[in-house]
Amino acid sequence: MADAKVIPFDDDRSRGGPGRTARGRAAGGGRRTGGDGGRTGQEEDRGGAQPPLAAVPGADSQAGPGSAPGTRREDRADRGDWDRRIAEGLAFLRRRITGEYEVDEFGYDADLTEHVLLSALRPVYEKYFRVEVLGIENIPSEGGALVVANHSGTLPLDALMLQVAVHDHHPAERALRLLAADLVFMLPVVNELARKAGHTLACTEDAQRLLERGEIVGVMPEGFKGLGKPFSERYKLQRFGRGGFVSTALRAGVPIVPCSIVGAEEIYPMVGDFRTLARLLGIPYFPITPTFPWLGPLGMVPLPTKWTIQFGEPVPMDDYPPEAVDDPMLMFNLTDQVRETIQHTLYRLLVRRRSVFF
């Protein structure tokens, strides 16, 4: 599993209503030219009966349960939503203060991840990248599974968007436990956040333990080769290693779910690599894009591309005997099968999208 390295940093009802329209007409809104002594409708309005309550502006605020819906009802719904959010926030603070939350053996803090980390990523996911998710039903509702995805984008935002996609779109709100590269756990702040978010070291032992516990594990076998590939090679999958992720899934007896991500390749178009500086800094590459490092920190803002994440049909592993892991040809064939599935899906998604940004 050492080859699979990733840095995870995915009423329309009328305001009047039929009842109000009828009452409004009864109030003498139109002109009449006959009957009742020949008075016009305007004279009736000036000297006749007052309009009913429903025709008075703002009457919806006093309306009863049977009244026409209006802005006041929507305002009450908004207030109720804010009240719920405030109550959840206060409950979260109480749990943090009293220590009534759990952290598993890998450092995963589900309470912090759901209420803080994913909440911080969600606006980027929904409003900035406008991620569309397909095939989420291919991730099982219970039991373990290994999600294998392509990797790109210069910075690993695709791993974070994938994590949000699985949690927010799956009916069971399943947590995706990503396997991360060594570099992630060498960075002071990133190390702690990655552990809290459920990420763990990309090694066979940790991955197998998580899968046997029934977790959804995510891996991006391209690693830094995919993350730092030049823009000219976008959407061309790099080598998937020697099949370590296949043997791990086979030992755990869990299915492999191929995943294709479109949109991440264009967020930081990498047109060059300052390798000398990268070696001095001890990082795999130092990207040069049309905006970075020329615009300084502003150049690190990703382009607002439109993303699509598609989960393919699971590849079952429980049909193979345990000794199949010792068959290198089988491991190679299964690895190539998963890779080709992801590559062909990428091509299909690229054909159907209208543009990079829409």
Side-chain angles (χ1 to χ4, degrees):
M1 202 64 191
D3 295 310
K5 297 200 172 187
V6 187
I7 317 175
F9 279 87
D10 125 294
D11 281 352
D12 193 21
R13 293 172 293 185
S14 167
R15 292 198 183 277
R20 178 183 290 182
T21 304
R23 289 195 294 269
R25 282 198 295 266
R31 296 177 61 88
R32 293 194 301 158
T33 56
D36 295 335
R39 290 188 303 166
T40 66
Q42 288 177 332
E43 290 170 345
E44 258 187 357
D45 287 346
R46 286 194 297 266
Q50 294 295 321
L53 184 60
V56 179
D60 277 338
S61 61
Q62 306 295 329
S67 63
T71 56
R72 291 298 182 182
R73 182 176 296 178
E74 295 171 359
D75 290 344
R76 287 196 296 271
D78 291 341
R79 286 198 299 270
D81 186 52
W82 277 108
D83 290 344
R84 178 184 58 80
R85 294 184 183 183
I86 292 172
E88 289 179 354
L90 293 175
F92 171 77
L93 290 176
R94 180 186 61 79
R95 290 193 299 272
R96 306 313 292 187
I97 294 172
T98 59
E100 297 177 6
Y101 60 92
E102 295 182 359
V103 177
D104 73 5
E105 58 184 302
F106 296 94
Y108 174 47
D109 189 336
D111 191 39
L112 181 69
T113 299
E114 182 170 353
H115 292 94
V116 177
L117 302 182
L118 292 183
S119 295
L121 292 171
R122 202 163 281 124
V124 179
Y125 175 92
E126 295 177 349
K127 306 298 183 183
Y128 198 77
F129 293 135
R130 295 147 290 146
V131 182
E132 176 186 7
V133 177
L134 305 172
I136 192 66
E137 67 277 2
N138 289 316
I139 295 180
S141 298
E142 56 184 20
L146 183 64
V147 176
V148 180
N150 59 305
H151 203 17
S152 63
T154 306
L155 290 181
L157 297 181
D158 54 354
L160 299 180
M161 297 302 104
L162 184 60
Q163 187 175 14
V164 179
V166 173
H167 179 274
D168 286 6
H169 290 270
H170 198 280
E173 296 186 349
R174 303 210 63 180
L176 180 67
R177 308 293 295 271
L178 287 163
L179 303 180
D182 300 353
L183 181 61
V184 172
F185 302 102
M186 295 169 60
L187 303 175
V189 177
V190 176
N191 169 31
E192 188 66 21
L193 290 176
R195 289 290 186 188
K196 295 291 186 182
H199 309 158
T200 189
L201 191 64
C203 65
T204 303
E205 292 77 13
D206 285 0
Q208 189 165 345
R209 285 164 60 197
L210 287 171
L211 291 171
E212 290 173 349
R213 280 180 13 178
E215 301 280 0
I216 302 296
V217 177
V219 61
M220 294 172 166
E222 292 179 281
F224 291 120
K225 299 188 301 294
L227 192 63
K229 64 175 174 282
F231 187 67
S232 60
E233 298 181 15
R234 60 192 179 278
Y235 297 114
K236 296 178 181 178
L237 293 184
Q238 305 298 300
R239 184 170 171 267
F240 263 30
R242 296 184 296 272
F245 68 89
V246 173
S247 62
T248 300
L250 199 150
R251 286 190 179 96
V254 300
I256 293 176
V257 180
C259 177
S260 303
I261 304 173
V262 164
E265 298 272 10
E266 296 92 357
I267 60 174
Y268 297 111
M270 185 169 164
V271 296
D273 181 6
F274 198 163
R275 296 183 180 180
T276 303
L277 183 57
R279 283 195 295 269
L280 291 174
L281 296 175
I283 55 179
Y285 53 85
F286 188 89
I288 298 175
T289 75
T291 58
F292 182 83
W294 326 115
L295 299 182
L298 186 62
M300 298 183 66
V301 177
L303 296 178
T305 58
K306 174 72 172 64
W307 288 35
T308 301
I309 298 177
Q310 178 164 348
F311 299 95
E313 293 186 3
V315 180
M317 292 288 116
D318 52 2
D319 295 338
Y320 299 96
E323 58 272 14
V325 296
D326 299 322
D327 185 347
M329 186 56 67
L330 176 63
M331 296 298 101
F332 174 82
N333 290 337
L334 290 173
T335 301
D336 192 58
Q337 176 186 343
V338 174
R339 183 182 181 278
E340 288 302 311
T341 299
I342 297 173
Q343 182 70 83
H344 291 158
T345 304
L346 287 175
Y347 289 149
R348 287 197 300 270
L349 293 175
L350 288 171
V351 168
R352 71 183 283 268
R353 77 171 177 175
R354 293 178 297 170
S355 74
V356 174
F357 300 102
F358 302 102

